[in-house]
Amino acid sequence: MVRAAVLPAVGAALEITDIDLPDPGPGQVRVRLAAAGVCHSDLSLSDGTMRVPVPAVLGHEGAGTVVAVGEGVTSVVPGAPVVLNWAPSCGRCHACSLGEVWLCADALTGSAAVYARTADGRDLHPGLNVAAFAEETVVSASCVLPLPDGIPLTDAALLGCAVLTGYGAVHHNARVRPGETVAVFGVGGVGLATLQAARIAGAGTIVAVDVSPEKEELARAAGATDYVTASDRTAREIRALTGGQGVDVAVECVGRAVTIRTAWESTRRGGRTTVVGIGGKDQQVTFNALELFHWGRTLSGCVYGNSDPSTDLPALAGHIRTGRLNLSTLVTEHITLADIPTAFDNMLAGKGGRALVVF
Protein backbone atom coordinates (compact mmCIF):
# COMPACT_ATOMS: atom_id res chain seq x y z
CA MET A 1 0.00 0.00 0.00
CA VAL A 2 1.26 3.47 -0.91
CA ARG A 3 -0.14 6.95 -0.35
CA ALA A 4 -1.56 8.69 -3.42
CA ALA A 5 -3.76 11.56 -4.60
CA VAL A 6 -6.81 9.98 -6.26
CA LEU A 7 -9.25 11.78 -8.57
CA PRO A 8 -12.49 9.81 -7.97
CA ALA A 9 -14.46 11.55 -10.73
CA VAL A 10 -14.16 14.53 -13.07
CA GLY A 11 -14.74 17.70 -11.09
CA ALA A 12 -14.46 15.93 -7.72
CA ALA A 13 -12.02 16.81 -4.97
CA LEU A 14 -8.80 14.83 -4.79
CA GLU A 15 -8.70 12.09 -2.14
CA ILE A 16 -5.39 11.54 -0.35
CA THR A 17 -5.59 7.85 0.43
CA ASP A 18 -3.79 4.51 0.39
CA ILE A 19 -3.79 2.48 -2.83
CA ASP A 20 -2.86 -1.13 -3.50
CA LEU A 21 0.02 -1.05 -5.97
CA PRO A 22 1.03 -4.43 -7.47
CA ASP A 23 4.52 -5.65 -8.27
CA PRO A 24 5.70 -4.82 -11.79
CA GLY A 25 4.66 -7.28 -14.48
CA PRO A 26 6.51 -8.10 -17.70
CA GLY A 27 7.88 -4.94 -19.31
CA GLN A 28 7.06 -2.81 -16.26
CA VAL A 29 9.07 -0.82 -13.73
CA ARG A 30 8.23 0.20 -10.15
CA VAL A 31 9.51 3.64 -9.15
CA ARG A 32 9.71 5.31 -5.75
CA LEU A 33 9.00 9.00 -6.37
CA ALA A 34 11.39 11.65 -5.10
CA ALA A 35 9.30 14.57 -6.36
CA ALA A 36 6.44 15.45 -8.69
CA GLY A 37 5.60 18.81 -10.21
CA VAL A 38 2.03 20.14 -10.17
CA CYS A 39 1.30 21.11 -13.77
CA HIS A 40 -1.67 23.01 -15.17
CA SER A 41 -2.45 19.91 -17.24
CA ASP A 42 -3.22 18.06 -14.00
CA LEU A 43 -5.77 20.75 -13.20
CA SER A 44 -7.18 20.41 -16.73
CA LEU A 45 -7.56 16.66 -16.18
CA SER A 46 -9.30 17.13 -12.86
CA ASP A 47 -11.86 19.64 -14.20
CA GLY A 48 -12.54 17.77 -17.46
CA THR A 49 -10.84 20.16 -19.90
CA MET A 50 -8.76 17.13 -20.86
CA ARG A 51 -10.27 13.67 -20.53
CA VAL A 52 -8.77 10.55 -18.98
CA PRO A 53 -10.46 7.47 -17.50
CA VAL A 54 -11.35 7.85 -13.83
CA PRO A 55 -10.88 7.08 -11.00
CA ALA A 56 -7.25 7.96 -11.61
CA VAL A 57 -4.05 8.95 -9.89
CA LEU A 58 -2.91 12.17 -11.58
CA GLY A 59 0.59 13.59 -11.87
CA HIS A 60 2.78 13.29 -14.95
CA GLU A 61 5.91 15.28 -14.11
CA GLY A 62 8.11 13.26 -11.79
CA ALA A 63 11.43 11.65 -10.98
CA GLY A 64 12.46 8.90 -8.62
CA THR A 65 14.40 5.70 -8.06
CA VAL A 66 13.70 2.30 -9.59
CA VAL A 67 12.59 -0.14 -6.89
CA ALA A 68 11.96 -3.24 -9.00
CA VAL A 69 11.69 -4.31 -12.63
CA GLY A 70 9.50 -6.88 -14.31
CA GLU A 71 10.45 -9.68 -16.63
CA GLY A 72 12.23 -8.60 -19.79
CA VAL A 73 13.23 -5.11 -18.62
CA THR A 74 16.87 -4.36 -19.39
CA SER A 75 16.85 -0.58 -19.88
CA VAL A 76 17.03 0.20 -16.15
CA VAL A 77 17.96 -1.65 -12.96
CA PRO A 78 16.84 -1.32 -9.32
CA GLY A 79 18.50 1.65 -7.68
CA ALA A 80 18.72 3.67 -10.89
CA PRO A 81 17.51 7.32 -10.81
CA VAL A 82 14.96 8.00 -13.55
CA VAL A 83 12.73 10.70 -15.01
CA LEU A 84 9.16 9.71 -15.84
CA ASN A 85 8.12 10.15 -19.48
CA TRP A 86 4.34 10.56 -19.68
CA ALA A 87 4.22 10.44 -23.50
CA PRO A 88 6.35 7.50 -24.68
CA SER A 89 6.46 6.98 -28.44
CA CYS A 90 5.46 3.66 -29.95
CA GLY A 91 7.91 3.86 -32.85
CA ARG A 92 5.34 2.35 -35.22
CA CYS A 93 2.57 4.88 -35.97
CA HIS A 94 2.61 7.38 -38.84
CA ALA A 95 3.89 10.28 -36.70
CA CYS A 96 6.71 8.18 -35.28
CA SER A 97 7.67 7.05 -38.79
CA LEU A 98 8.11 10.73 -39.67
CA GLY A 99 10.27 11.32 -36.60
CA GLU A 100 7.52 13.37 -34.93
CA VAL A 101 7.48 11.29 -31.76
CA TRP A 102 5.73 14.01 -29.76
CA LEU A 103 2.62 13.35 -31.88
CA CYS A 104 2.64 9.57 -31.36
CA ALA A 105 -0.88 8.21 -31.85
CA ASP A 106 -0.42 5.62 -29.12
CA ALA A 107 1.37 7.74 -26.53
CA LEU A 108 -1.51 7.82 -24.05
CA THR A 109 -2.95 4.33 -24.45
CA GLY A 110 -1.54 3.37 -21.06
CA SER A 111 -3.92 5.80 -19.36
CA ALA A 112 -6.82 3.45 -20.10
CA ALA A 113 -5.21 0.53 -18.24
CA VAL A 114 -6.00 -0.47 -14.66
CA TYR A 115 -2.71 -0.17 -12.81
CA ALA A 116 -3.72 -0.24 -9.14
CA ARG A 117 -6.71 -0.38 -6.80
CA THR A 118 -7.99 1.63 -3.89
CA ALA A 119 -8.04 0.10 -0.44
CA ASP A 120 -11.75 -0.68 -0.92
CA GLY A 121 -11.16 -2.42 -4.28
CA ARG A 122 -11.96 0.26 -6.89
CA ASP A 123 -9.94 0.05 -10.12
CA LEU A 124 -7.51 2.93 -10.69
CA HIS A 125 -6.09 4.31 -13.92
CA PRO A 126 -2.72 6.06 -14.24
CA GLY A 127 -3.47 9.63 -15.29
CA LEU A 128 -1.31 10.43 -18.33
CA ASN A 129 0.38 7.03 -18.00
CA VAL A 130 2.62 7.56 -14.98
CA ALA A 131 0.50 8.46 -11.90
CA ALA A 132 3.21 10.56 -10.26
CA PHE A 133 1.03 11.89 -7.43
CA ALA A 134 1.90 8.88 -5.30
CA GLU A 135 4.76 7.66 -3.14
CA GLU A 136 5.41 4.90 -5.70
CA THR A 137 4.13 4.01 -9.15
CA VAL A 138 4.29 1.13 -11.65
CA VAL A 139 4.80 2.13 -15.28
CA SER A 140 5.81 0.68 -18.61
CA ALA A 141 9.58 0.56 -19.10
CA SER A 142 9.05 2.98 -22.00
CA CYS A 143 7.88 5.57 -19.47
CA VAL A 144 11.22 5.86 -17.66
CA LEU A 145 14.36 7.62 -18.83
CA PRO A 146 17.71 7.22 -17.06
CA LEU A 147 18.65 10.44 -15.28
CA PRO A 148 21.95 11.85 -16.56
CA ASP A 149 24.70 12.38 -14.00
CA GLY A 150 24.99 15.62 -12.09
CA ILE A 151 21.29 16.48 -11.71
CA PRO A 152 19.65 16.44 -8.26
CA LEU A 153 16.87 13.87 -8.25
CA THR A 154 14.26 16.19 -6.74
CA ASP A 155 14.91 18.96 -9.27
CA ALA A 156 14.86 16.38 -12.08
CA ALA A 157 11.08 16.02 -11.76
CA LEU A 158 10.71 19.29 -13.69
CA LEU A 159 12.41 17.74 -16.70
CA GLY A 160 9.42 15.47 -17.23
CA CYS A 161 7.14 18.20 -18.54
CA ALA A 162 7.77 21.90 -17.84
CA VAL A 163 11.38 22.06 -18.96
CA LEU A 164 11.07 19.76 -21.98
CA THR A 165 8.01 21.74 -23.09
CA GLY A 166 9.50 25.20 -22.61
CA TYR A 167 12.90 24.29 -24.04
CA GLY A 168 11.35 22.52 -27.01
CA ALA A 169 8.95 25.37 -27.76
CA VAL A 170 11.93 27.70 -28.15
CA HIS A 171 14.48 25.39 -29.79
CA HIS A 172 12.34 22.99 -31.84
CA ASN A 173 9.09 24.78 -32.65
CA ALA A 174 9.87 28.51 -32.81
CA ARG A 175 13.58 27.88 -33.48
CA VAL A 176 14.68 31.12 -31.85
CA ARG A 177 17.91 32.51 -33.30
CA PRO A 178 20.54 34.60 -31.49
CA GLY A 179 19.54 38.24 -31.25
CA GLU A 180 15.84 37.67 -31.95
CA THR A 181 13.14 39.22 -29.78
CA VAL A 182 10.82 36.95 -27.82
CA ALA A 183 7.64 37.42 -25.76
CA VAL A 184 6.47 34.73 -23.34
CA PHE A 185 2.85 34.83 -22.20
CA GLY A 186 2.25 33.21 -18.81
CA VAL A 187 4.88 33.02 -16.09
CA GLY A 188 4.07 29.65 -14.55
CA GLY A 189 6.34 26.61 -14.58
CA VAL A 190 6.33 26.22 -18.38
CA GLY A 191 6.62 29.97 -18.93
CA LEU A 192 9.64 30.20 -16.63
CA ALA A 193 11.28 27.31 -18.47
CA THR A 194 10.53 29.04 -21.77
CA LEU A 195 12.16 32.26 -20.57
CA GLN A 196 15.31 30.36 -19.60
CA ALA A 197 15.30 28.57 -22.95
CA ALA A 198 15.02 31.89 -24.80
CA ARG A 199 18.01 33.19 -22.87
CA ILE A 200 19.99 30.02 -23.67
CA ALA A 201 19.09 30.48 -27.36
CA GLY A 202 20.69 33.93 -27.26
CA ALA A 203 17.53 36.00 -27.66
CA GLY A 204 17.98 39.75 -27.29
CA THR A 205 14.88 41.42 -25.88
CA ILE A 206 12.86 38.86 -23.86
CA VAL A 207 9.46 40.15 -22.70
CA ALA A 208 7.53 38.26 -20.02
CA VAL A 209 3.76 38.82 -19.81
CA ASP A 210 1.47 37.79 -16.96
CA VAL A 211 -1.68 39.00 -15.23
CA SER A 212 0.19 39.18 -11.93
CA PRO A 213 2.65 42.05 -11.39
CA GLU A 214 4.10 40.04 -8.47
CA LYS A 215 5.73 37.62 -10.93
CA GLU A 216 8.13 40.19 -12.37
CA GLU A 217 11.02 39.19 -10.11
CA LEU A 218 10.56 35.50 -11.01
CA ALA A 219 10.48 36.36 -14.70
CA ARG A 220 13.58 38.52 -14.64
CA ALA A 221 15.49 35.85 -12.69
CA ALA A 222 14.61 33.41 -15.48
CA GLY A 223 15.91 35.69 -18.22
CA ALA A 224 13.26 38.32 -18.99
CA THR A 225 14.68 41.70 -19.94
CA ASP A 226 11.26 43.38 -19.76
CA TYR A 227 7.98 42.70 -17.98
CA VAL A 228 4.43 43.59 -19.02
CA THR A 229 1.39 43.17 -16.80
CA ALA A 230 -1.36 41.83 -19.05
CA SER A 231 -4.06 44.31 -20.11
CA ASP A 232 -5.89 45.38 -23.25
CA ARG A 233 -2.74 47.39 -24.11
CA THR A 234 -0.33 44.43 -24.01
CA ALA A 235 0.28 44.15 -27.75
CA ARG A 236 0.91 47.88 -28.04
CA GLU A 237 3.34 47.80 -25.10
CA ILE A 238 5.27 44.93 -26.66
CA ARG A 239 5.48 46.74 -30.00
CA ALA A 240 6.78 49.82 -28.18
CA LEU A 241 9.55 47.69 -26.65
CA THR A 242 10.55 46.40 -30.08
CA GLY A 243 10.80 49.55 -32.17
CA GLY A 244 7.15 49.43 -33.17
CA GLN A 245 7.55 46.09 -34.97
CA GLY A 246 6.49 43.40 -32.50
CA VAL A 247 8.57 40.41 -31.44
CA ASP A 248 10.10 37.86 -33.76
CA VAL A 249 8.63 35.06 -31.63
CA ALA A 250 5.71 34.96 -29.21
CA VAL A 251 5.16 31.86 -27.06
CA GLU A 252 1.73 31.48 -25.46
CA CYS A 253 1.79 29.28 -22.32
CA VAL A 254 -1.73 29.93 -21.01
CA GLY A 255 -4.25 28.32 -23.36
CA ARG A 256 -6.84 31.11 -23.44
CA ALA A 257 -8.32 32.59 -26.59
CA VAL A 258 -7.63 36.19 -25.57
CA THR A 259 -3.99 35.39 -24.75
CA ILE A 260 -3.42 33.53 -28.01
CA ARG A 261 -4.92 36.45 -29.94
CA THR A 262 -2.73 38.93 -28.04
CA ALA A 263 0.38 36.84 -28.67
CA TRP A 264 -0.48 36.86 -32.37
CA GLU A 265 -0.96 40.64 -32.39
CA SER A 266 2.34 41.08 -30.54
CA THR A 267 4.27 39.21 -33.24
CA ARG A 268 5.97 41.20 -36.02
CA ARG A 269 5.01 40.85 -39.65
CA GLY A 270 6.55 37.57 -40.80
CA GLY A 271 7.18 36.41 -37.23
CA ARG A 272 6.24 33.19 -35.43
CA THR A 273 3.54 32.63 -32.79
CA THR A 274 3.79 29.33 -30.89
CA VAL A 275 0.89 28.08 -28.76
CA VAL A 276 1.94 25.83 -25.87
CA GLY A 277 -1.01 26.39 -23.52
CA ILE A 278 -3.82 23.83 -23.50
CA GLY A 279 -7.24 25.47 -23.72
CA GLY A 280 -10.75 24.11 -23.68
CA LYS A 281 -13.00 23.61 -26.71
CA ASP A 282 -14.88 26.74 -25.72
CA GLN A 283 -11.79 28.91 -26.30
CA GLN A 284 -12.41 30.00 -29.89
CA VAL A 285 -9.76 32.15 -31.62
CA THR A 286 -10.72 33.99 -34.83
CA PHE A 287 -8.69 35.54 -37.66
CA ASN A 288 -9.86 37.21 -40.84
CA ALA A 289 -8.50 36.17 -44.22
CA LEU A 290 -6.98 39.58 -44.99
CA GLU A 291 -4.87 39.74 -41.84
CA LEU A 292 -3.55 36.22 -42.41
CA PHE A 293 -2.34 37.33 -45.82
CA HIS A 294 -1.10 40.77 -44.80
CA TRP A 295 0.87 39.89 -41.67
CA GLY A 296 2.48 36.74 -43.04
CA ARG A 297 2.88 35.36 -39.54
CA THR A 298 3.22 31.69 -38.72
CA LEU A 299 0.86 30.32 -36.04
CA SER A 300 1.68 26.85 -34.76
CA GLY A 301 0.60 24.52 -32.00
CA CYS A 302 3.27 22.88 -29.89
CA VAL A 303 2.81 19.49 -28.23
CA TYR A 304 5.28 18.60 -25.44
CA GLY A 305 7.71 21.12 -26.91
CA ASN A 306 8.01 19.08 -30.13
CA SER A 307 10.55 17.17 -28.05
CA ASP A 308 12.07 13.73 -28.19
CA PRO A 309 12.89 13.14 -24.50
CA SER A 310 15.47 10.47 -25.29
CA THR A 311 17.66 13.02 -27.09
CA ASP A 312 16.58 16.26 -25.40
CA LEU A 313 17.16 15.04 -21.85
CA PRO A 314 20.95 14.67 -22.34
CA ALA A 315 21.05 18.09 -23.99
CA LEU A 316 19.23 19.65 -21.06
CA ALA A 317 21.58 17.91 -18.64
CA GLY A 318 24.49 19.65 -20.35
CA HIS A 319 22.86 23.05 -19.84
CA ILE A 320 22.17 22.22 -16.19
CA ARG A 321 25.73 21.11 -15.48
CA THR A 322 27.15 24.32 -16.97
CA GLY A 323 24.70 26.51 -15.05
CA ARG A 324 22.90 27.84 -18.14
CA LEU A 325 19.68 26.18 -16.95
CA ASN A 326 18.68 26.51 -13.30
CA LEU A 327 15.84 24.16 -12.36
CA SER A 328 15.45 25.42 -8.80
CA THR A 329 14.35 28.90 -9.95
CA LEU A 330 11.20 27.37 -11.48
CA VAL A 331 9.98 26.16 -8.07
CA THR A 332 8.21 28.62 -5.80
CA GLU A 333 7.01 26.15 -3.17
CA HIS A 334 7.71 22.63 -1.92
CA ILE A 335 4.56 20.81 -0.81
CA THR A 336 3.11 17.45 0.21
CA LEU A 337 0.43 15.36 -1.49
CA ALA A 338 -2.18 16.91 0.78
CA ASP A 339 -1.28 20.38 -0.52
CA ILE A 340 -2.04 19.65 -4.20
CA PRO A 341 -5.61 21.08 -4.06
CA THR A 342 -4.17 24.33 -2.72
CA ALA A 343 -1.61 24.31 -5.54
CA PHE A 344 -4.50 23.98 -8.01
CA ASP A 345 -6.21 26.98 -6.39
CA ASN A 346 -2.99 29.01 -6.65
CA MET A 347 -2.72 28.20 -10.36
CA LEU A 348 -6.28 29.36 -10.93
CA ALA A 349 -5.45 32.57 -9.07
CA GLY A 350 -2.27 33.09 -11.11
CA LYS A 351 0.04 32.77 -8.13
CA GLY A 352 3.61 31.46 -8.14
CA GLY A 353 5.63 29.29 -10.48
CA ARG A 354 5.90 25.52 -10.10
CA ALA A 355 4.74 23.77 -6.93
CA LEU A 356 6.81 20.64 -6.30
CA VAL A 357 5.51 17.69 -4.29
CA VAL A 358 8.48 16.28 -2.34
CA PHE A 359 8.19 12.78 -0.92
Side-chain angles (χ1 to χ4, degrees):
M1 303 294 286
V2 300
R3 204 74 172 159
V6 174
L7 178 70
V10 172
L14 291 180
E15 299 174 354
I16 311 302
T17 185
D18 290 332
I19 65 171
D20 185 5
L21 190 67
D23 293 330
Q28 293 184 321
V29 177
R30 183 165 177 145
V31 178
R32 178 180 299 116
L33 272 297
V38 183
C39 179
H40 201 280
S41 296
D42 297 308
L43 178 59
S44 296
L45 292 168
S46 71
D47 67 15
T49 299
M50 298 168 61
R51 291 284 184 173
V52 292
V54 290
V57 174
L58 302 183
H60 62 280
E61 181 183 82
T65 303
V66 175
V67 176
V69 300
E71 181 183 350
V73 175
T74 59
S75 55
V76 292
V77 296
V82 294
V83 177
L84 297 179
N85 175 16
W86 62 270
S89 57
C90 71
R92 301 178 302 274
C93 70
H94 182 64
C96 287
S97 73
L98 297 174
E100 299 173 352
V101 297
W102 54 92
L103 299 178
C104 176
D106 298 319
L108 296 180
T109 55
S111 296
V114 173
Y115 94 113
R117 287 179 172 80
T118 62
D120 59 4
R122 288 175 292 160
D123 289 345
L124 283 173
H125 302 278
L128 293 187
N129 285 325
V130 297
F133 288 166
E135 295 169 331
E136 296 186 10
T137 188
V138 172
V139 299
S140 167
S142 62
C143 289
V144 296
L145 296 166
L147 178 65
D149 294 336
I151 304 175
L153 188 56
T154 299
D155 290 348
L158 302 169
L159 295 172
C161 184
V163 177
L164 275 171
T165 300
Y167 179 86
V170 167
H171 290 268
H172 301 320
N173 187 288
R175 299 182 181 180
V176 174
R177 298 182 289 267
E180 287 193 311
T181 54
V182 176
V184 178
F185 290 76
V187 185
V190 172
L192 289 168
T194 304
L195 288 167
Q196 290 207 45
R199 176 174 46 77
I200 291 170
T205 298
I206 304 174
V207 185
V209 183
D210 198 275
V211 294
S212 172
E214 288 77 21
K215 289 189 178 182
E216 181 172 359
E217 185 177 350
L218 274 175
R220 290 187 180 276
T225 60
D226 297 273
Y227 191 84
V228 172
T229 302
S231 71
D232 58 3
R233 293 182 50 82
T234 296
R236 278 174 285 179
E237 290 184 49
I238 290 174
R239 287 196 294 272
L241 291 169
T242 53
Q245 298 301 311
V247 290
D248 297 302
V249 172
V251 183
E252 199 274 357
C253 303
V254 181
R256 295 184 63 233
V258 65
T259 316
I260 294 169
R261 181 71 209 192
T262 303
W264 166 265
E265 293 174 354
S266 302
T267 304
R268 68 166 175 83
R269 194 176 187 189
R272 291 100 71 199
T273 305
T274 293
V275 179
V276 174
I278 301 172
K281 293 179 180 179
D282 61 325
Q283 296 292 314
Q284 299 291 318
V285 189
T286 59
F287 308 91
N288 66 61
L290 181 59
E291 70 175 309
L292 291 173
F293 162 77
H294 173 76
W295 290 104
R297 297 164 175 147
T298 300
L299 175 68
S300 62
C302 181
V303 178
Y304 203 11
N306 291 19
S307 291
D308 180 350
S310 64
T311 57
D312 285 330
L313 193 58
L316 288 168
H319 291 307
I320 293 167
R321 286 192 289 263
T322 60
R324 291 190 295 267
L325 177 60
N326 187 342
L327 298 181
S328 63
T329 60
L330 276 65
V331 179
T332 51
E333 59 177 339
H334 294 86
I335 63 174
T336 67
L337 282 173
D339 299 318
I340 294 174
T342 301
F344 283 174
D345 291 340
N346 288 339
M347 276 193 286
L348 287 171
K351 297 179 180 177
R354 200 49 130 216
L356 191 66
V357 179
V358 179
F359 296 93

